[in-house]
Amino acid sequence: MTTDAPVVLGIETSCDETGIGIVRGHELLANEIASSVDEHARFGGVVPEVASRAHLEAIEPALGRACATAGMRLDDVDAIAVTAGPGLVGALLVGVATAKALSVALGVPVYGVNHLASHVVVDELQHGPLPDPTVGLLVSGGHSSLLLVADDVSTITPLGQTLDDAAGEAFDKVARLLGLPFPGGPWIDRIAREGDPRAIAFPRGLSGPGDRDRYPYDFSFSGLKTAVARWVRAKEAAGEPVPVADVAASVQEAIVDVLTARLVAACVEKGVGTAVIGGGVAANSRLRTMAEERCAAAGISLRVPRPDLCTDNGAMVAALGSRLVRDGVPPSPLDFVTTSNLPVTRRSW
Ligand code: KG4
Ligand code: ZN
């Protein structure tokens, strides 16, 4: 990595993590995260107003820590990238207002960037430029999609998406049914290691006759959640203990099975040799091993960032900003707005 590559500061505040990242080109220099997750746990989900206040308190110290880790000062930054959407509007506003203020004060350009595209592009920090084209599997608490990433990561086309719950949402809802804390995904991952993934045959969404033709690259997880609720209630009604580890392992297997099957099918059918997985659920250990096995068997090269780059963070925002700078994309106008439903097709404002 040349030392003259631009230094980009990334700011992420779309949900409950305040993330500040600093990169130079593809080189990661700092990735500071302050999470308000514990403040939301007792509500069983993220409370937007609580998240916004937590960002306000955390952002300035996180900026200071990121600069210290990178061994630089704010005026060493060449450009700023900030998540403009999708996300919680009040939470996004904290990051966007901070980024705009810094842009004016430091006299550097600001890019309002897409959170979803950042989850895909972050892999470049660990494994270098993404090959062209690549199929992306984006699996987070709010989104689950298969994406065709082409034209040197400048065109992101959705191939399919969830028709109802996101994969992370499915993990979180099932965890709640099992009495596990929020967010449930990491808990299911951990507890599933003690369970038998074949203990209970939970349904694989959209795998019925005709579904493959009608929804080739889509997902559906709401039926799974209902099936688990019914199964658990039946056990309780019979006065039998709920085998939490077996349920966790079997649910995880059902989710990961459909995600990886669709990912491999998309690569094979579109003739794409590389797959990348991003988003919080990409931290799931079973998803990582099953995707590795299935991609290897199909001759597909798989890229998955390390777990702390999968869950929300500032480095991913800086990574996308860095790409935009190098691609010569014009910065965002200073009056760009936060957009709770920014489509994945749009990398930046
Ligand atoms: O990308 P992310 O940090 O935030 C959003 O943009 O949504 O994703 C959060 C989601 C949550 O649903 C969480 O339970 C899930 O990612 N998650 C996991 C794991 N780590 C985080 N799900 C399964 N296994 C994990 N290890
Ligand atoms: Zn995310």
Side-chain angles (χ1 to χ4, degrees), residues 14 115 119 140 279-280 312 316:
S14 69
H115 180 86
H119 269 307
S140 70
D312 288 350
M316 67 190 214

Side-chain angles (χ1 to χ4, degrees), residues 12 14-17 86 115-116 119 138-143 166-172 182-190 193 252 278-286 307 310-313 316:
E12 155 63 32
S14 69
C15 194
D16 57 344
E17 334 281 353
H115 180 86
L116 306 176
H119 269 307
L138 169 66
V139 273
S140 70
H143 296 85
E169 200 177 350
F171 272 108
D172 295 343
F182 173 84
W187 287 89
I188 299 257
D189 192 348
R190 220 168 300 143
R193 285 174 208 162
Q252 177 173 268
V281 178
N284 182 267
S285 59
R286 183 66 183 130
C310 293
T311 45
D312 288 350
N313 65 84
M316 67 190 214

